[in-house]
Amino acid sequence: MENDHLREYYGMKARDSGVLINKIAPLSSVSGLLKPGDVLMSFDDVPIANDGTVDHPITGRINFQHLVSMKKVGEIARLGAIRDGKKINLTAPMAAPNYLVPVHNFDRDPRYFVIGGLVFTPLSQAFLQEYGEDWANSAPRRLVNTALYDLPQKNLKEAIVLADVLPHRITAGYQKLVDLRLLKFNGIHVQNLSHLVKLVQKSKGRFFRFELEDDREIVLLADKTRRASQSILKRYRIQAPQYAI
């Protein structure tokens, strides 16, 4: 809330700070409490700046989502907000998140699938945290929105990301397509990582076609890709083409 006109429209005073709520995930802990158009001013009595950051005693300014992620299921969060020009205080019991992208993966090892130098992995907040403490602002916006708002669907259990493109002659020209979500393989919607592995392993066509977001695609000759995969794994000292599927 850094624009003076916007601040005045939502009834903020000169010393007020916070972030405008544009959307509420249906299954989130604050669904039914906060509303679009509210200005969230504080979380657990910690003031939220107009750029969405809070003060951290060690790292300095970080995104307020860090405070949310540190809360345990069942704990009560105290929220300060402005609604219709009036300040309100709310309490929200923290529920177990049911998002497409898990907040924590403490009980699981990192999972990946490598085919022809393309490295795919499920999107997680741990993945996004590689962009730093302020990942909600520094990571690719589409991935952030997927992590914060998207819900599982009947035919979508995980968001799969092209995490890396290992340099090799068969991946020439594709290095810039990292950090894009994989949507389809050979025209079939990818449900999760294990589904992708099965689709690739059972493919009998001449080509491997990976359809990514932003209307991007990667096409590889299937036979040449299979033959090159073993040498790529050996070159980059990857013990297995997939792990913890």
Side-chain angles (χ1 to χ4, degrees), residues 60-237:
R61 307 298 301 184
I62 60 174
N63 191 276
F64 82 94
Q65 289 286 347
H66 173 75
L67 299 181
V68 180
S69 67
M70 296 303 293
K71 297 290 285 187
K72 297 178 181 178
V73 174
E75 289 185 338
I76 301 298
R78 299 181 301 278
L79 311 174
I82 294 177
R83 176 178 297 164
D84 299 327
K86 298 179 180 179
K87 293 183 179 180
I88 58 174
N89 294 302
L90 304 169
T91 57
M94 303 302 291
N98 185 33
Y99 297 120
L100 177 65
V101 177
V103 177
H104 300 296
N105 280 319
F106 295 135
D107 58 341
R108 303 194 69 174
D109 292 327
R111 300 157 59 225
Y112 67 83
F113 174 50
V114 183
I115 179 67
L118 307 178
V119 183
F120 295 98
T121 189
L123 180 61
S124 65
Q125 289 202 14
F127 178 91
L128 293 171
Q129 286 166 4
E130 293 298 315
Y131 285 89
E133 290 282 356
D134 194 27
W135 59 265
N137 289 317
S138 58
R141 175 52 48 191
R142 289 178 179 175
L143 296 185
V144 171
N145 288 340
T146 296
L148 295 180
Y149 301 117
D150 284 10
L151 303 175
Q153 301 174 24
K154 183 178 180 180
N155 294 317
L156 181 62
K157 306 303 180 184
E158 290 181 317
I160 305 303
V161 177
L162 179 61
D164 201 0
V165 178
L166 304 176
H168 190 274
R169 62 181 179 276
I170 69 170
T171 59
Y174 293 141
Q175 277 73 26
K176 294 182 179 181
L177 299 182
V178 296
D179 290 346
L180 291 177
R181 281 184 61 185
L182 173 66
L183 304 179
K184 296 180 182 180
F185 173 77
N186 284 353
I188 300 174
H189 287 279
V190 176
Q191 299 179 18
N192 54 28
L193 191 63
S194 61
H195 185 223
L196 172 62
V197 173
K198 292 177 181 177
L199 290 175
V200 172
Q201 291 176 341
K202 293 181 179 180
S203 176
K204 299 184 183 302
R206 186 184 176 195
F207 296 100
F208 288 158
R209 182 169 180 250
F210 302 89
E211 295 180 57
L212 309 171
E213 64 182 346
D214 200 25
D215 297 322
R216 302 299 184 92
E217 68 176 9
I218 293 175
V219 177
L220 301 174
L221 284 165
D223 288 344
K224 288 187 177 181
T225 300
R226 291 189 182 99
R227 290 196 296 268
S229 289
Q230 287 302 317
S231 64
I232 291 173
L233 294 176
K234 185 176 180 180
R235 175 188 294 183
Y236 292 98
R237 298 181 180 180

